[in-house]
Amino acid sequence: MTARTHECGRCSPAFVSPLVDAALGTSGRNAIAGVSASATSVLNLAVESPGLYGAVGSYSGCPSTSDPVSRRFVEMVVEDRGRGDVTNMWGPVGDPAWAAHDPYLNAERLRGIELYISSGTGLPGYDDTLDGREVAGDPLVLVRQAGTGGVIEAATGECTRRFAARLDELGIPAHVELRPTWTHSWTYWQDDLHRSWPVFDQALR
């Protein structure tokens, strides 16, 4: 059985948001951010729920999913690394759901949202050392972070550059940070969250 998010109206953010607002006494203004695979998901959530989010942060994601190269990136994460099955997300290759969940193809629907889009290149950065915060002196962690993390970030970096070019082509404003280094690592995302906060602060006022 194939489960697809666009078929689940009752689990959509627009349905859940009033419940959260009531329970937590919020202002009703929303923003969302995600890293890695969820960095693509947050853009899709904004596309699917017009007017719900004032700001979206996408850190080290692949904001395109339906072209052959981007689809292979998705398969690498879901199937090669996660041992999952991408058809449980959007059906087989060629299913319209792949295009429906492609932020690159649906970028026009992000107009009017404060966007913070970032990624590195996969080249070692300031935290890819033995004394890096995540590494903490462990050579095996460093090898994994600089090796696997470098390859993944190189892929997300290419996706992010293509997406940034698409936003520019459409004349959609966005705060874009294309780092010359950085691997796919939590400490970099933590730093980027702090750097992106002014974008969220403005949208949540």
Side-chain angles (χ1 to χ4, degrees), residues 148-174:
T148 303
V151 171
I152 295 173
E153 194 71 7
T156 64
E158 177 59 26
C159 285
T160 301
R161 281 163 175 74
R162 289 183 59 237
F163 185 65
R166 178 62 175 160
L167 294 175
D168 188 59
E169 177 186 309
L170 294 172
I172 297 176

Side-chain angles (χ1 to χ4, degrees), residues 1-161:
M1 179 177 176
T2 300
R4 302 178 194 166
T5 55
H6 70 289
E7 294 173 348
C8 181
R10 288 184 61 81
C11 58
S12 70
F15 180 83
V16 174
S17 184
L19 301 178
V20 174
D21 294 339
L24 300 180
T26 73
S27 68
R29 298 178 66 85
N30 303 293
I32 192 169
V35 304
S36 192
S38 65
T40 305
S41 301
V42 294
L43 292 167
N44 275 322
L45 288 171
V47 165
E48 290 291 322
S49 304
L52 181 59
Y53 300 109
V56 177
S58 176
Y59 318 114
S60 300
C62 189
S64 56
T65 57
S66 60
D67 65 90
V69 174
S70 299
R71 188 169 60 247
R72 179 58 192 139
F73 291 158
V74 174
E75 291 169 347
M76 286 171 59
V77 173
V78 175
E79 298 185 341
D80 298 353
R81 287 177 56 81
R83 301 183 185 278
D85 183 353
V86 294
T87 62
N88 288 329
M89 294 167 45
W90 303 318
V93 173
D95 190 300
W98 281 84
H101 291 89
D102 188 328
Y104 182 94
L105 296 180
N106 297 288
E108 179 60 44
R109 296 171 67 182
L110 296 169
R111 189 180 298 277
I113 299 173
E114 296 292 332
L115 299 172
Y116 186 98
I117 312 294
S118 68
S119 189
T121 61
L123 294 174
Y126 54 79
D127 257 339
D128 299 300
T129 63
L130 276 176
D131 59 353
R133 287 169 289 175
E134 188 86 359
V135 177
D138 189 332
L140 293 179
V141 173
L142 177 58
V143 169
R144 183 172 63 249
Q145 180 169 302
T148 303
V151 171
I152 295 173
E153 194 71 7
T156 64
E158 177 59 26
C159 285
T160 301
R161 281 163 175 74

Side-chain angles (χ1 to χ4, degrees), residues 180-201:
T181 57
W182 289 24
T183 56
H184 210 66
S185 309
W186 284 105
T187 54
Y188 294 129
W189 297 328
Q190 176 181 321
D191 292 346
D192 227 10
L193 178 61
H194 288 289
R195 289 186 174 94
S196 63
W197 176 248
V199 174
F200 293 104
D201 182 50

